[in-house]
Amino acid sequence: MDIKNVTVIGSGVLGSQIAFQIAYSGFKVTVFDINDEALVKAQRSMVTLTKSYERDMEVTDLELKETLSNLIYTTNLETASKEADLIIEAIPEIKELKINLYKQLATIAPESTIFATNTSTFLPSDFAAETGRPDKFLALHFANQIWLNNTAEIMGTAETDPDVFETIVAFSKNIGMIPLPLYKEQRGYILNSLLVPLLKSAEDLLVNEVANPETIDKTWMIATKSPRGPFGILDIVGLNTAYNIALSKDTDDSKKIAQFLKENYLDKGHLGIQSGQGFYTYPNPSYLEKDFLTE
């Protein structure tokens, strides 16, 4: 199976990164979102990403110009789907939204198109029936700051065609990722199975007024020699994503976290790095200051 044209549905923090990385790797990428406002924001994100690639990847102006030329934008789902060899879904972690999207895609995408979900918390089998092509559907999960944290976790269902699975493994290599195949469905894959409990524990400490974000992060950074703590990580993930994950868990402590994030951050427009303000202020968060770990 030969993948040439890729569509990314959802142009949020990670959706934009996925689209940019694939375009940087030489593929034609169509970016779909629900309205022009979202796409204008996505185009601004792409410009911001060029600066990150210049800084971290030492790419040339010509490479960045070619990357941007590989990207097109649309609010028409049929247009976005009609020539796609692969569609990657990266919309919010709301199950009903994803189900409705796949029901639409099932009727308009070519039969040969492979569908992949970037969901962080759901299983691909939660949506396989709605895709109309369970044999061509699987999960393809990327880490935030994809150009540096270049993992691609690949997880199929019992119905996923092995050839489709291997096609996505090869595609992941072609876009500069390290493919990490999973042989059994697991909520959270490998990365989030390890990371989400850490982040939730940090959120519990904050919400229950045990310590503030700086102290919690400082503790983790000193003790583990990590370059950032859980709240620095949450700012990268995006507080809207953290909110949706907490909201999806039917427990009292998760509901408490969701309410806390909404009232203290989301309602104020503090979404993390993407908005310039989250638990820290960007582009110069205090945890990067040289005396952060010594005072």
Side-chain angles (χ1 to χ4, degrees), residues 97-122:
L97 285 181
K98 293 179 186 288
I99 287 174
N100 290 336
L101 172 65
Y102 285 119
K103 286 181 177 178
Q104 293 180 67
L105 289 174
T107 65
I108 60 178
E111 290 184 11
S112 60
T113 304
I114 297 171
F115 292 172
T117 177
N118 183 60
T119 180
S120 298
T121 55
F122 296 111

mmCIF file with all atom_site columns, all heavy atoms in Angstrom, residues 97-122:
data_model
loop_
_atom_site.group_PDB
_atom_site.id
_atom_site.type_symbol
_atom_site.label_atom_id
_atom_site.label_alt_id
_atom_site.label_comp_id
_atom_site.label_asym_id
_atom_site.label_entity_id
_atom_site.label_seq_id
_atom_site.pdbx_PDB_ins_code
_atom_site.Cartn_x
_atom_site.Cartn_y
_atom_site.Cartn_z
_atom_site.occupancy
_atom_site.B_iso_or_equiv
_atom_site.pdbx_formal_charge
_atom_site.auth_seq_id
_atom_site.auth_comp_id
_atom_site.auth_asym_id
_atom_site.auth_atom_id
_atom_site.pdbx_PDB_model_num
ATOM 1   N N   . LEU A 1 97  ? -18.031 12.952 19.465 1.00 0.00 ? 97  LEU A N   1
ATOM 2   C CA  . LEU A 1 97  ? -17.494 13.698 18.319 1.00 0.00 ? 97  LEU A CA  1
ATOM 3   C C   . LEU A 1 97  ? -16.774 12.767 17.352 1.00 0.00 ? 97  LEU A C   1
ATOM 4   O O   . LEU A 1 97  ? -16.929 12.867 16.131 1.00 0.00 ? 97  LEU A O   1
ATOM 5   C CB  . LEU A 1 97  ? -16.529 14.791 18.795 1.00 0.00 ? 97  LEU A CB  1
ATOM 6   C CG  . LEU A 1 97  ? -17.113 16.046 19.427 1.00 0.00 ? 97  LEU A CG  1
ATOM 7   C CD1 . LEU A 1 97  ? -15.992 17.003 19.806 1.00 0.00 ? 97  LEU A CD1 1
ATOM 8   C CD2 . LEU A 1 97  ? -18.105 16.721 18.493 1.00 0.00 ? 97  LEU A CD2 1
ATOM 9   N N   . LYS A 1 98  ? -15.983 11.866 17.903 1.00 0.00 ? 98  LYS A N   1
ATOM 10  C CA  . LYS A 1 98  ? -15.221 10.949 17.071 1.00 0.00 ? 98  LYS A CA  1
ATOM 11  C C   . LYS A 1 98  ? -16.151 9.980  16.326 1.00 0.00 ? 98  LYS A C   1
ATOM 12  O O   . LYS A 1 98  ? -15.966 9.715  15.132 1.00 0.00 ? 98  LYS A O   1
ATOM 13  C CB  . LYS A 1 98  ? -14.204 10.185 17.923 1.00 0.00 ? 98  LYS A CB  1
ATOM 14  C CG  . LYS A 1 98  ? -13.092 11.068 18.498 1.00 0.00 ? 98  LYS A CG  1
ATOM 15  C CD  . LYS A 1 98  ? -12.129 10.253 19.348 1.00 0.00 ? 98  LYS A CD  1
ATOM 16  C CE  . LYS A 1 98  ? -11.095 11.119 20.059 1.00 0.00 ? 98  LYS A CE  1
ATOM 17  N NZ  . LYS A 1 98  ? -10.091 11.679 19.152 1.00 0.00 ? 98  LYS A NZ  1
ATOM 18  N N   . ILE A 1 99  ? -17.136 9.468  17.035 1.00 0.00 ? 99  ILE A N   1
ATOM 19  C CA  . ILE A 1 99  ? -18.083 8.544  16.399 1.00 0.00 ? 99  ILE A CA  1
ATOM 20  C C   . ILE A 1 99  ? -18.807 9.222  15.241 1.00 0.00 ? 99  ILE A C   1
ATOM 21  O O   . ILE A 1 99  ? -18.930 8.660  14.138 1.00 0.00 ? 99  ILE A O   1
ATOM 22  C CB  . ILE A 1 99  ? -19.088 8.012  17.446 1.00 0.00 ? 99  ILE A CB  1
ATOM 23  C CG1 . ILE A 1 99  ? -18.397 7.008  18.380 1.00 0.00 ? 99  ILE A CG1 1
ATOM 24  C CG2 . ILE A 1 99  ? -20.293 7.355  16.764 1.00 0.00 ? 99  ILE A CG2 1
ATOM 25  C CD1 . ILE A 1 99  ? -19.258 6.528  19.532 1.00 0.00 ? 99  ILE A CD1 1
ATOM 26  N N   . ASN A 1 100 ? -19.288 10.438 15.472 1.00 0.00 ? 100 ASN A N   1
ATOM 27  C CA  . ASN A 1 100 ? -19.989 11.174 14.409 1.00 0.00 ? 100 ASN A CA  1
ATOM 28  C C   . ASN A 1 100 ? -19.084 11.435 13.215 1.00 0.00 ? 100 ASN A C   1
ATOM 29  O O   . ASN A 1 100 ? -19.519 11.343 12.052 1.00 0.00 ? 100 ASN A O   1
ATOM 30  C CB  . ASN A 1 100 ? -20.539 12.488 14.954 1.00 0.00 ? 100 ASN A CB  1
ATOM 31  C CG  . ASN A 1 100 ? -21.697 12.282 15.910 1.00 0.00 ? 100 ASN A CG  1
ATOM 32  O OD1 . ASN A 1 100 ? -22.378 11.263 15.856 1.00 0.00 ? 100 ASN A OD1 1
ATOM 33  N ND2 . ASN A 1 100 ? -21.920 13.244 16.795 1.00 0.00 ? 100 ASN A ND2 1
ATOM 34  N N   . LEU A 1 101 ? -17.819 11.756 13.481 1.00 0.00 ? 101 LEU A N   1
ATOM 35  C CA  . LEU A 1 101 ? -16.872 11.990 12.393 1.00 0.00 ? 101 LEU A CA  1
ATOM 36  C C   . LEU A 1 101 ? -16.684 10.728 11.556 1.00 0.00 ? 101 LEU A C   1
ATOM 37  O O   . LEU A 1 101 ? -16.745 10.770 10.316 1.00 0.00 ? 101 LEU A O   1
ATOM 38  C CB  . LEU A 1 101 ? -15.532 12.456 12.950 1.00 0.00 ? 101 LEU A CB  1
ATOM 39  C CG  . LEU A 1 101 ? -14.393 12.540 11.924 1.00 0.00 ? 101 LEU A CG  1
ATOM 40  C CD1 . LEU A 1 101 ? -14.687 13.610 10.880 1.00 0.00 ? 101 LEU A CD1 1
ATOM 41  C CD2 . LEU A 1 101 ? -13.056 12.796 12.612 1.00 0.00 ? 101 LEU A CD2 1
ATOM 42  N N   . TYR A 1 102 ? -16.463 9.596  12.211 1.00 0.00 ? 102 TYR A N   1
ATOM 43  C CA  . TYR A 1 102 ? -16.217 8.358  11.468 1.00 0.00 ? 102 TYR A CA  1
ATOM 44  C C   . TYR A 1 102 ? -17.436 7.912  10.673 1.00 0.00 ? 102 TYR A C   1
ATOM 45  O O   . TYR A 1 102 ? -17.298 7.355  9.575  1.00 0.00 ? 102 TYR A O   1
ATOM 46  C CB  . TYR A 1 102 ? -15.728 7.260  12.410 1.00 0.00 ? 102 TYR A CB  1
ATOM 47  C CG  . TYR A 1 102 ? -14.296 7.452  12.826 1.00 0.00 ? 102 TYR A CG  1
ATOM 48  C CD1 . TYR A 1 102 ? -13.932 7.630  14.151 1.00 0.00 ? 102 TYR A CD1 1
ATOM 49  C CD2 . TYR A 1 102 ? -13.287 7.495  11.864 1.00 0.00 ? 102 TYR A CD2 1
ATOM 50  C CE1 . TYR A 1 102 ? -12.614 7.831  14.522 1.00 0.00 ? 102 TYR A CE1 1
ATOM 51  C CE2 . TYR A 1 102 ? -11.960 7.698  12.224 1.00 0.00 ? 102 TYR A CE2 1
ATOM 52  C CZ  . TYR A 1 102 ? -11.629 7.874  13.557 1.00 0.00 ? 102 TYR A CZ  1
ATOM 53  O OH  . TYR A 1 102 ? -10.320 8.080  13.902 1.00 0.00 ? 102 TYR A OH  1
ATOM 54  N N   . LYS A 1 103 ? -18.625 8.170  11.200 1.00 0.00 ? 103 LYS A N   1
ATOM 55  C CA  . LYS A 1 103 ? -19.828 7.853  10.446 1.00 0.00 ? 103 LYS A CA  1
ATOM 56  C C   . LYS A 1 103 ? -19.886 8.661  9.146  1.00 0.00 ? 103 LYS A C   1
ATOM 57  O O   . LYS A 1 103 ? -20.305 8.148  8.093  1.00 0.00 ? 103 LYS A O   1
ATOM 58  C CB  . LYS A 1 103 ? -21.073 8.117  11.291 1.00 0.00 ? 103 LYS A CB  1
ATOM 59  C CG  . LYS A 1 103 ? -21.310 7.074  12.373 1.00 0.00 ? 103 LYS A CG  1
ATOM 60  C CD  . LYS A 1 103 ? -22.574 7.392  13.165 1.00 0.00 ? 103 LYS A CD  1
ATOM 61  C CE  . LYS A 1 103 ? -22.859 6.315  14.190 1.00 0.00 ? 103 LYS A CE  1
ATOM 62  N NZ  . LYS A 1 103 ? -24.072 6.634  15.007 1.00 0.00 ? 103 LYS A NZ  1
ATOM 63  N N   . GLN A 1 104 ? -19.463 9.936  9.208  1.00 0.00 ? 104 GLN A N   1
ATOM 64  C CA  . GLN A 1 104 ? -19.422 10.765 8.000  1.00 0.00 ? 104 GLN A CA  1
ATOM 65  C C   . GLN A 1 104 ? -18.346 10.276 7.043  1.00 0.00 ? 104 GLN A C   1
ATOM 66  O O   . GLN A 1 104 ? -18.589 10.134 5.840  1.00 0.00 ? 104 GLN A O   1
ATOM 67  C CB  . GLN A 1 104 ? -19.148 12.224 8.376  1.00 0.00 ? 104 GLN A CB  1
ATOM 68  C CG  . GLN A 1 104 ? -20.250 12.904 9.152  1.00 0.00 ? 104 GLN A CG  1
ATOM 69  C CD  . GLN A 1 104 ? -19.876 14.342 9.474  1.00 0.00 ? 104 GLN A CD  1
ATOM 70  O OE1 . GLN A 1 104 ? -19.760 15.194 8.586  1.00 0.00 ? 104 GLN A OE1 1
ATOM 71  N NE2 . GLN A 1 104 ? -19.672 14.616 10.750 1.00 0.00 ? 104 GLN A NE2 1
ATOM 72  N N   . LEU A 1 105 ? -17.157 10.024 7.572  1.00 0.00 ? 105 LEU A N   1
ATOM 73  C CA  . LEU A 1 105 ? -16.041 9.594  6.728  1.00 0.00 ? 105 LEU A CA  1
ATOM 74  C C   . LEU A 1 105 ? -16.341 8.271  6.033  1.00 0.00 ? 105 LEU A C   1
ATOM 75  O O   . LEU A 1 105 ? -15.921 8.050  4.890  1.00 0.00 ? 105 LEU A O   1
ATOM 76  C CB  . LEU A 1 105 ? -14.767 9.461  7.559  1.00 0.00 ? 105 LEU A CB  1
ATOM 77  C CG  . LEU A 1 105 ? -14.129 10.758 8.055  1.00 0.00 ? 105 LEU A CG  1
ATOM 78  C CD1 . LEU A 1 105 ? -12.967 10.455 8.991  1.00 0.00 ? 105 LEU A CD1 1
ATOM 79  C CD2 . LEU A 1 105 ? -13.641 11.610 6.878  1.00 0.00 ? 105 LEU A CD2 1
ATOM 80  N N   . ALA A 1 106 ? -17.063 7.395  6.702  1.00 0.00 ? 106 ALA A N   1
ATOM 81  C CA  . ALA A 1 106 ? -17.368 6.078  6.137  1.00 0.00 ? 106 ALA A CA  1
ATOM 82  C C   . ALA A 1 106 ? -18.105 6.190  4.813  1.00 0.00 ? 106 ALA A C   1
ATOM 83  O O   . ALA A 1 106 ? -17.967 5.328  3.936  1.00 0.00 ? 106 ALA A O   1
ATOM 84  C CB  . ALA A 1 106 ? -18.191 5.260  7.130  1.00 0.00 ? 106 ALA A CB  1
ATOM 85  N N   . THR A 1 107 ? -18.870 7.265  4.657  1.00 0.00 ? 107 THR A N   1
ATOM 86  C CA  . THR A 1 107 ? -19.698 7.408  3.457  1.00 0.00 ? 107 THR A CA  1
ATOM 87  C C   . THR A 1 107 ? -19.035 8.219  2.350  1.00 0.00 ? 107 THR A C   1
ATOM 88  O O   . THR A 1 107 ? -19.481 8.173  1.203  1.00 0.00 ? 107 THR A O   1
ATOM 89  C CB  . THR A 1 107 ? -21.040 8.085  3.808  1.00 0.00 ? 107 THR A CB  1
ATOM 90  O OG1 . THR A 1 107 ? -20.798 9.430  4.247  1.00 0.00 ? 107 THR A OG1 1
ATOM 91  C CG2 . THR A 1 107 ? -21.754 7.317  4.905  1.00 0.00 ? 107 THR A CG2 1
ATOM 92  N N   . ILE A 1 108 ? -17.974 8.964  2.659  1.00 0.00 ? 108 ILE A N   1
ATOM 93  C CA  . ILE A 1 108 ? -17.399 9.868  1.652  1.00 0.00 ? 108 ILE A CA  1
ATOM 94  C C   . ILE A 1 108 ? -15.953 9.558  1.275  1.00 0.00 ? 108 ILE A C   1
ATOM 95  O O   . ILE A 1 108 ? -15.510 9.949  0.194  1.00 0.00 ? 108 ILE A O   1
ATOM 96  C CB  . ILE A 1 108 ? -17.506 11.343 2.103  1.00 0.00 ? 108 ILE A CB  1
ATOM 97  C CG1 . ILE A 1 108 ? -16.753 11.575 3.420  1.00 0.00 ? 108 ILE A CG1 1
ATOM 98  C CG2 . ILE A 1 108 ? -18.959 11.758 2.231  1.00 0.00 ? 108 ILE A CG2 1
ATOM 99  C CD1 . ILE A 1 108 ? -16.777 13.030 3.885  1.00 0.00 ? 108 ILE A CD1 1
ATOM 100 N N   . ALA A 1 109 ? -15.209 8.866  2.127  1.00 0.00 ? 109 ALA A N   1
ATOM 101 C CA  . ALA A 1 109 ? -13.807 8.570  1.812  1.00 0.00 ? 109 ALA A CA  1
ATOM 102 C C   . ALA A 1 109 ? -13.722 7.384  0.859  1.00 0.00 ? 109 ALA A C   1
ATOM 103 O O   . ALA A 1 109 ? -14.552 6.473  0.902  1.00 0.00 ? 109 ALA A O   1
ATOM 104 C CB  . ALA A 1 109 ? -13.019 8.265  3.088  1.00 0.00 ? 109 ALA A CB  1
ATOM 105 N N   . PRO A 1 110 ? -12.720 7.362  -0.024 1.00 0.00 ? 110 PRO A N   1
ATOM 106 C CA  . PRO A 1 110 ? -12.528 6.212  -0.909 1.00 0.00 ? 110 PRO A CA  1
ATOM 107 C C   . PRO A 1 110 ? -12.382 4.914  -0.107 1.00 0.00 ? 110 PRO A C   1
ATOM 108 O O   . PRO A 1 110 ? -11.889 4.925  1.024  1.00 0.00 ? 110 PRO A O   1
ATOM 109 C CB  . PRO A 1 110 ? -11.224 6.551  -1.644 1.00 0.00 ? 110 PRO A CB  1
ATOM 110 C CG  . PRO A 1 110 ? -11.129 8.038  -1.597 1.00 0.00 ? 110 PRO A CG  1
ATOM 111 C CD  . PRO A 1 110 ? -11.726 8.434  -0.274 1.00 0.00 ? 110 PRO A CD  1
ATOM 112 N N   . GLU A 1 111 ? -12.796 3.814  -0.704 1.00 0.00 ? 111 GLU A N   1
ATOM 113 C CA  . GLU A 1 111 ? -12.741 2.521  -0.003 1.00 0.00 ? 111 GLU A CA  1
ATOM 114 C C   . GLU A 1 111 ? -11.317 2.143  0.385  1.00 0.00 ? 111 GLU A C   1
ATOM 115 O O   . GLU A 1 111 ? -11.107 1.419  1.361  1.00 0.00 ? 111 GLU A O   1
ATOM 116 C CB  . GLU A 1 111 ? -13.342 1.423  -0.890 1.00 0.00 ? 111 GLU A CB  1
ATOM 117 C CG  . GLU A 1 111 ? -14.840 1.532  -1.073 1.00 0.00 ? 111 GLU A CG  1
ATOM 118 C CD  . GLU A 1 111 ? -15.407 0.367  -1.878 1.00 0.00 ? 111 GLU A CD  1
ATOM 119 O OE1 . GLU A 1 111 ? -14.650 -0.603 -2.098 1.00 0.00 ? 111 GLU A OE1 1
ATOM 120 O OE2 . GLU A 1 111 ? -16.581 0.421  -2.271 1.00 0.00 ? 111 GLU A OE2 1
ATOM 121 N N   . SER A 1 112 ? -10.351 2.621  -0.378 1.00 0.00 ? 112 SER A N   1
ATOM 122 C CA  . SER A 1 112 ? -8.954  2.249  -0.122 1.00 0.00 ? 112 SER A CA  1
ATOM 123 C C   . SER A 1 112 ? -8.305  3.055  1.001  1.00 0.00 ? 112 SER A C   1
ATOM 124 O O   . SER A 1 112 ? -7.219  2.707  1.473  1.00 0.00 ? 112 SER A O   1
ATOM 125 C CB  . SER A 1 112 ? -8.128  2.446  -1.396 1.00 0.00 ? 112 SER A CB  1
ATOM 126 O OG  . SER A 1 112 ? -8.180  3.808  -1.821 1.00 0.00 ? 112 SER A OG  1
ATOM 127 N N   . THR A 1 113 ? -8.969  4.129  1.441  1.00 0.00 ? 113 THR A N   1
ATOM 128 C CA  . THR A 1 113 ? -8.364  5.016  2.434  1.00 0.00 ? 113 THR A CA  1
ATOM 129 C C   . THR A 1 113 ? -8.230  4.329  3.787  1.00 0.00 ? 113 THR A C   1
ATOM 130 O O   . THR A 1 113 ? -9.182  3.729  4.298  1.00 0.00 ? 113 THR A O   1
ATOM 131 C CB  . THR A 1 113 ? -9.204  6.294  2.597  1.00 0.00 ? 113 THR A CB  1
ATOM 132 O OG1 . THR A 1 113 ? -9.347  6.931  1.331  1.00 0.00 ? 113 THR A OG1 1
ATOM 133 C CG2 . THR A 1 113 ? -8.529  7.264  3.560  1.00 0.00 ? 113 THR A CG2 1
ATOM 134 N N   . ILE A 1 114 ? -7.059  4.456  4.367  1.00 0.00 ? 114 ILE A N   1
ATOM 135 C CA  . ILE A 1 114 ? -6.803  3.965  5.719  1.00 0.00 ? 114 ILE A CA  1
ATOM 136 C C   . ILE A 1 114 ? -7.193  5.066  6.706  1.00 0.00 ? 114 ILE A C   1
ATOM 137 O O   . ILE A 1 114 ? -6.874  6.238  6.498  1.00 0.00 ? 114 ILE A O   1
ATOM 138 C CB  . ILE A 1 114 ? -5.325  3.587  5.904  1.00 0.00 ? 114 ILE A CB  1
ATOM 139 C CG1 . ILE A 1 114 ? -4.947  2.438  4.969  1.00 0.00 ? 114 ILE A CG1 1
ATOM 140 C CG2 . ILE A 1 114 ? -5.027  3.216  7.356  1.00 0.00 ? 114 ILE A CG2 1
ATOM 141 C CD1 . ILE A 1 114 ? -3.456  2.160  4.929  1.00 0.00 ? 114 ILE A CD1 1
ATOM 142 N N   . PHE A 1 115 ? -7.876  4.682  7.790  1.00 0.00 ? 115 PHE A N   1
ATOM 143 C CA  . PHE A 1 115 ? -8.223  5.614  8.858  1.00 0.00 ? 115 PHE A CA  1
ATOM 144 C C   . PHE A 1 115 ? -7.332  5.327  10.071 1.00 0.00 ? 115 PHE A C   1
ATOM 145 O O   . PHE A 1 115 ? -7.146  4.162  10.442 1.00 0.00 ? 115 PHE A O   1
ATOM 146 C CB  . PHE A 1 115 ? -9.676  5.459  9.300  1.00 0.00 ? 115 PHE A CB  1
ATOM 147 C CG  . PHE A 1 115 ? -10.707 5.875  8.285  1.00 0.00 ? 115 PHE A CG  1
ATOM 148 C CD1 . PHE A 1 115 ? -12.050 5.619  8.521  1.00 0.00 ? 115 PHE A CD1 1
ATOM 149 C CD2 . PHE A 1 115 ? -10.356 6.511  7.106  1.00 0.00 ? 115 PHE A CD2 1
ATOM 150 C CE1 . PHE A 1 115 ? -13.024 6.000  7.602  1.00 0.00 ? 115 PHE A CE1 1
ATOM 151 C CE2 . PHE A 1 115 ? -11.319 6.891  6.175  1.00 0.00 ? 115 PHE A CE2 1
ATOM 152 C CZ  . PHE A 1 115 ? -12.662 6.631  6.428  1.00 0.00 ? 115 PHE A CZ  1
ATOM 153 N N   . ALA A 1 116 ? -6.832  6.391  10.700 1.00 0.00 ? 116 ALA A N   1
ATOM 154 C CA  . ALA A 1 116 ? -6.039  6.239  11.919 1.00 0.00 ? 116 ALA A CA  1
ATOM 155 C C   . ALA A 1 116 ? -6.504  7.266  12.943 1.00 0.00 ? 116 ALA A C   1
ATOM 156 O O   . ALA A 1 116 ? -6.699  8.436  12.606 1.00 0.00 ? 116 ALA A O   1
ATOM 157 C CB  . ALA A 1 116 ? -4.551  6.413  11.636 1.00 0.00 ? 116 ALA A CB  1
ATOM 158 N N   . THR A 1 117 ? -6.676  6.844  14.165 1.00 0.00 ? 117 THR A N   1
ATOM 159 C CA  . THR A 1 117 ? -7.023  7.768  15.233 1.00 0.00 ? 117 THR A CA  1
ATOM 160 C C   . THR A 1 117 ? -5.804  8.065  16.091 1.00 0.00 ? 117 THR A C   1
ATOM 161 O O   . THR A 1 117 ? -5.006  7.170  16.392 1.00 0.00 ? 117 THR A O   1
ATOM 162 C CB  . THR A 1 117 ? -8.159  7.217  16.130 1.00 0.00 ? 117 THR A CB  1
ATOM 163 O OG1 . THR A 1 117 ? -8.406  8.144  17.198 1.00 0.00 ? 117 THR A OG1 1
ATOM 164 C CG2 . THR A 1 117 ? -7.815  5.851  16.715 1.00 0.00 ? 117 THR A CG2 1
ATOM 165 N N   . ASN A 1 118 ? -5.663  9.322  16.476 1.00 0.00 ? 118 ASN A N   1
ATOM 166 C CA  . ASN A 1 118 ? -4.587  9.727  17.370 1.00 0.00 ? 118 ASN A CA  1
ATOM 167 C C   . ASN A 1 118 ? -5.094  9.812  18.821 1.00 0.00 ? 118 ASN A C   1
ATOM 168 O O   . ASN A 1 118 ? -4.453  10.419 19.664 1.00 0.00 ? 118 ASN A O   1
ATOM 169 C CB  . ASN A 1 118 ? -4.022  11.082 16.929 1.00 0.00 ? 118 ASN A CB  1
ATOM 170 C CG  . ASN A 1 118 ? -2.855  11.524 17.782 1.00 0.00 ? 118 ASN A CG  1
ATOM 171 O OD1 . ASN A 1 118 ? -1.837  10.859 17.864 1.00 0.00 ? 118 ASN A OD1 1
ATOM 172 N ND2 . ASN A 1 118 ? -3.006  12.648 18.469 1.00 0.00 ? 118 ASN A ND2 1
ATOM 173 N N   . THR A 1 119 ? -6.226  9.186  19.098 1.00 0.00 ? 119 THR A N   1
ATOM 174 C CA  . THR A 1 119 ? -6.791  9.271  20.440 1.00 0.00 ? 119 THR A CA  1
ATOM 175 C C   . THR A 1 119 ? -5.778  8.904  21.518 1.00 0.00 ? 119 THR A C   1
ATOM 176 O O   . THR A 1 119 ? -4.983  7.970  21.349 1.00 0.00 ? 119 THR A O   1
ATOM 177 C CB  . THR A 1 119 ? -8.029  8.368  20.572 1.00 0.00 ? 119 THR A CB  1
ATOM 178 O OG1 . THR A 1 119 ? -8.556  8.489  21.894 1.00 0.00 ? 119 THR A OG1 1
ATOM 179 C CG2 . THR A 1 119 ? -7.695  6.908  20.292 1.00 0.00 ? 119 THR A CG2 1
ATOM 180 N N   . SER A 1 120 ? -5.831  9.638  22.620 1.00 0.00 ? 120 SER A N   1
ATOM 181 C CA  . SER A 1 120 ? -4.911  9.379  23.725 1.00 0.00 ? 120 SER A CA  1
ATOM 182 C C   . SER A 1 120 ? -5.479  8.399  24.743 1.00 0.00 ? 120 SER A C   1
ATOM 183 O O   . SER A 1 120 ? -4.728  7.737  25.454 1.00 0.00 ? 120 SER A O   1
ATOM 184 C CB  . SER A 1 120 ? -4.576  10.694 24.453 1.00 0.00 ? 120 SER A CB  1
ATOM 185 O OG  . SER A 1 120 ? -3.940  11.603 23.595 1.00 0.00 ? 120 SER A OG  1
ATOM 186 N N   . THR A 1 121 ? -6.803  8.319  24.816 1.00 0.00 ? 121 THR A N   1
ATOM 187 C CA  . THR A 1 121 ? -7.413  7.583  25.926 1.00 0.00 ? 121 THR A CA  1
ATOM 188 C C   . THR A 1 121 ? -8.387  6.487  25.513 1.00 0.00 ? 121 THR A C   1
ATOM 189 O O   . THR A 1 121 ? -8.668  5.592  26.309 1.00 0.00 ? 121 THR A O   1
ATOM 190 C CB  . THR A 1 121 ? -8.161  8.563  26.855 1.00 0.00 ? 121 THR A CB  1
ATOM 191 O OG1 . THR A 1 121 ? -9.111  9.313  26.081 1.00 0.00 ? 121 THR A OG1 1
ATOM 192 C CG2 . THR A 1 121 ? -7.198  9.527  27.524 1.00 0.00 ? 121 THR A CG2 1
ATOM 193 N N   . PHE A 1 122 ? -8.914  6.543  24.296 1.00 0.00 ? 122 PHE A N   1
ATOM 194 C CA  . PHE A 1 122 ? -9.861  5.527  23.850 1.00 0.00 ? 122 PHE A CA  1
ATOM 195 C C   . PHE A 1 122 ? -9.143  4.395  23.115 1.00 0.00 ? 122 PHE A C   1
ATOM 196 O O   . PHE A 1 122 ? -7.988  4.534  22.701 1.00 0.00 ? 122 PHE A O   1
ATOM 197 C CB  . PHE A 1 122 ? -10.922 6.138  22.936 1.00 0.00 ? 122 PHE A CB  1
ATOM 198 C CG  . PHE A 1 122 ? -11.792 7.161  23.609 1.00 0.00 ? 122 PHE A CG  1
ATOM 199 C CD1 . PHE A 1 122 ? -11.707 8.504  23.260 1.00 0.00 ? 122 PHE A CD1 1
ATOM 200 C CD2 . PHE A 1 122 ? -12.690 6.782  24.595 1.00 0.00 ? 122 PHE A CD2 1
ATOM 201 C CE1 . PHE A 1 122 ? -12.504 9.453  23.882 1.00 0.00 ? 122 PHE A CE1 1
ATOM 202 C CE2 . PHE A 1 122 ? -13.493 7.718  25.227 1.00 0.00 ? 122 PHE A CE2 1
ATOM 203 C CZ  . PHE A 1 122 ? -13.402 9.065  24.865 1.00 0.00 ? 122 PHE A CZ  1
#
